[in-house]
Each structure stands twice: as structure tokens, then as C-alpha cells.
Amino acid sequence: MIKQLGEDSAKLFTYEVLGIRTTNTHDKTGAHECAADLSIIASTTGKNKEIPITYTVELTDNGEEFYVEASGL
């Protein structure tokens, strides 16, 4: 949101990820495909918009971090 709106405008919203669910797990890589709803709430009005997103999550090679790639944003 900062890239699209700028830092000051992005601060006018809060974000929540709701209804997280795993839709598939890759046995070979351990990567998970997931779906959720991204809730975007305007701080000034309280208006809320939810959009469906999908994402993949996998452990990095060093085993210390997660790599997440989201789509639908």
C-alpha cells in the first residue's frame, strides 16, 4: 500500500488477514498454498472492505525464515 498510495496515505488504513486456510501442501517442497480474506479498514470512517487473496508460504533454504508470495492484491 505504501508503494501505491504513499506512506502518509497508507497509514490511514489498518489491515487484517481473516479466514486463513491451507488449500494445498506440496509434499516434496513443504510449501503451502493458502487462501484468506484481506480486510482493509479506513481509520477515518471505519469503513471496511474485504478482498480474497491467495498466497504460498515456504521455508527458506536456511530454515530460519519464511518466503511468502501473495496474489489478488
Side-chain angles (χ1 to χ4, degrees):
M1 293 300 284
I2 291 172
K3 288 181 181 179
Q4 291 181 352
L5 302 175
E7 189 171 345
D8 290 337
S9 294
K11 288 180 182 179
L12 298 175
F13 300 92
T14 57
Y15 311 92
E16 293 181 50
V17 180
L18 308 169
I20 298 170
R21 55 216 177 265
T22 302
T23 58
N24 192 22
T25 300
H26 297 275
D27 292 332
K28 186 175 182 179
T29 64
H32 300 284
E33 293 178 16
C34 303
D37 295 309
L38 176 64
S39 178
I40 304 170
I41 305 154
S43 302
T44 55
T45 64
K47 288 187 179 182
N48 179 25
K49 179 171 181 157
E50 288 186 14
I51 57 171
I53 61 170
T54 57
Y55 58 98
T56 57
V57 180
E58 57 189 306
L59 202 54
T60 58
D61 289 343
N62 67 12
E64 296 180 10
E65 300 175 307
F66 289 99
Y67 177 78
V68 179
E69 186 173 0
S71 60
L73 301 173

